[in-house]
Amino acid sequence: MKSFQHVISELRLFQGPDCLQRLPRELDRLGCKKAMVFCGASLAGSPQFELLRQSLGGHFAGAFTEVRAHSPRQSVEAGAGAIQQSEADAAIALGGGSAIVTARAASILATEAGKLEDLSTSTGPDGRMHSPKLLAPKIPQIVLPTTPTSACVKAGTAVSDPEQGRRYALFDPKTRAQAIFVHPELLMSAPRALVVSAALDSFSLAIEGLASAVGDPISDALLMHAIRMLATNLMPAASGDDPSTRADLLVGAVLCGRGTDHTGAGVATVLGHAIGAACKTENGLTKAVVLPKAIDFNAEAAVSGLTKVATALGLQTRDSDAPAPAVVGALEALFSELGLPARLRDLDVPRESLAEISERAMEDWFLRGNPRKVREPGELLKIMEDAW
């Protein structure tokens, strides 16, 4: 008998054209009276923003509209100042992963004493990773997503520092979303390319979660269905604008996020983080490029997990002891059909930057869950060189 624990946090998700009618009641349930909206400038003057503002009514306490891609430090620190100045008692993220992460990170910096470096996961002299406990109370988070990102349901937060070309990771379960609202008008506000990139990010994470060194039957079920939903709806989302397709992708991302709370990730996730921080590439596209090479790297150590991935993708593998080639072939065929960049050089990643990126990537918390132990940066460099 395998020993495991699977403790599930609360999930309150409301979907449909009328779901925002529940928003004021959810704020009242949480005892919140002043909600600050976090979004980017493009959404700030949009009909979608006005829809949210009207739904909030007297709960609207203003908006922080300086959200930037990859949640850069300067934007997050400004958001923290906005929370403190407005005395907001709730944060509402309107947008994709950057809005969600910026709202979470700003809520942490607004309440915790210390600089970003002090609050983030760090690697000690012995090589062990340490994640500080962030004990201060946090204002509730509510998410109105426009893209299918697993960030909707996560408690981890990543802040980029463009000047240093690095990424800071924070973890606080108190910043997990108290409610998620899936509204068709909000989903349809995002460009197709952004929807596909976000879905690819969730798709890659679900695959690596299922193939990771840890997991349990419940997370397996969540991730296998996440892979099915994401794989089924990626092509329709890339070629059409149907709100039901986008909603299915969003639910797939939620399943991915919930499932990977109980698994690890892998080198594709790690390299996606590191390359994105250094070169400002989109996470989904970057991970799609490196994922096949990452699966090849992990092939012998992840047979059981990759067999589940193959099943979720509907593949008939000839050799149950070697599912990696079938999975890689299916992914490469899907990515080609989507017309994705095939190499890191297609994403304008300089080859001369790869060595430094591999060094930075060794600091990533998610490296611990990779099915094959990564012992030194050269192994990550080889994966990137193969993908370049």
Side-chain angles (χ1 to χ4, degrees):
M1 178 185 295
K2 177 182 178 180
S3 297
F4 71 91
Q5 61 179 10
H6 191 101
V7 180
I8 302 176
S9 58
E10 181 184 35
L11 173 64
R12 296 174 68 84
L13 188 150
F14 306 91
Q15 177 174 309
D18 59 348
C19 68
L20 292 183
Q21 295 175 13
R22 292 292 304 266
L23 180 53
R25 281 184 283 175
E26 284 299 297
L27 288 167
D28 289 340
R29 183 183 69 86
L30 294 165
C32 299
K33 298 185 181 301
K34 300 175 64 177
M36 170 162 285
V37 177
F38 281 73
C39 67
S42 61
L43 274 172
S46 70
Q48 292 79 23
F49 182 89
E50 184 59 23
L51 173 65
L52 170 57
R53 193 190 66 78
Q54 290 182 4
S55 299
L56 284 170
H59 289 90
F60 180 69
F64 177 78
T65 61
E66 299 173 33
V67 168
R68 302 286 184 269
H70 299 293
S71 303
R73 179 176 191 156
Q74 185 176 7
S75 174
V76 167
E77 291 174 343
I83 290 174
Q84 292 170 330
Q85 185 174 3
S86 68
E87 298 182 341
D89 56 11
I92 298 179
L94 171 65
S98 294
I100 297 165
V101 169
T102 298
R104 282 204 302 255
S107 300
I108 291 172
L109 294 187
T111 55
E112 295 284 350
K115 296 182 179 180
L116 177 63
E117 292 86 349
D118 302 327
L119 306 175
S120 303
T121 299
S122 60
T123 304
D126 59 355
R128 296 171 66 90
M129 291 184 178
H130 170 67
S131 185
K133 292 191 178 299
L134 308 178
L135 300 178
K138 306 297 183 303
I139 61 176
Q141 307 286 304
I142 292 178
V143 175
L144 280 66
T146 58
T147 64
T149 171
S150 63
C152 289
V153 292
K154 288 297 188 183
T157 298
V159 177
S160 66
D161 190 324
E163 292 184 3
Q164 299 183 48
R166 66 174 301 169
R167 179 177 179 273
Y168 291 98
L170 307 96
F171 180 79
D172 189 342
K174 297 187 294 302
T175 61
R176 202 183 295 273
Q178 295 285 339
I180 301 168
F181 291 83
V182 184
H183 191 283
E185 189 171 336
L186 303 183
L187 293 178
M188 295 308 297
S189 68
R192 286 184 195 173
L194 191 57
V195 171
V196 170
S197 180
L200 287 167
D201 193 357
S202 296
F203 185 54
S204 174
L205 179 59
I207 289 172
E208 290 211 303
L210 200 55
S212 76
V214 294
D216 59 61
I218 301 173
S219 62
D220 285 352
L222 292 169
L223 293 174
M224 290 180 76
H225 197 50
I227 290 170
R228 292 187 193 102
M229 293 189 75
L230 292 163
T232 299
N233 289 285
L234 266 166
M235 272 306 302
S239 58
D241 295 312
D242 177 51
S244 294
T245 296
R246 295 192 177 194
D248 283 348
L249 285 174
L250 189 282
V251 172
V254 168
L255 292 174
C256 167
R258 300 284 286 189
T260 51
D261 271 351
H262 303 276
T263 72
V267 292
T269 298
V270 168
L271 293 176
H273 291 163
I275 295 168
C279 304
K280 298 181 175 61
T281 57
E282 291 186 29
N283 284 339
L285 298 181
T286 307
K287 292 177 186 179
V289 170
V290 299
L291 181 59
K293 303 302 181 186
I295 291 173
D296 285 338
F297 176 81
N298 287 318
E300 293 184 6
V303 171
S304 175
L306 289 174
T307 299
K308 296 169 190 172
V309 172
T311 300
L313 291 172
L315 305 178
Q316 299 295 325
T317 56
R318 295 181 180 179
D319 185 355
S320 60
D321 293 329
V327 171
V328 168
L331 294 179
E332 289 179 338
L334 174 60
F335 296 161
S336 175
E337 189 178 5
L338 287 167
L340 303 182
R343 315 294 300 181
L344 287 177
R345 58 177 173 266
D346 299 333
L347 298 174
D348 296 326
V349 176
R351 187 162 193 167
E352 59 271 20
S353 71
L354 299 183
E356 183 177 353
I357 290 172
S358 67
E359 295 281 351
R360 291 286 190 192
M362 291 296 293
E363 303 171 4
D364 197 304
W365 181 271
F366 285 102
L367 205 59
R368 305 186 317 159
N370 195 66
R372 173 179 167 183
K373 186 173 179 59
V374 177
R375 301 183 183 281
E376 49 95 16
E379 293 174 296
L380 299 179
L381 178 59
K382 177 65 165 55
I383 294 171
M384 288 190 288
E385 287 178 335
D386 288 347
W388 194 86

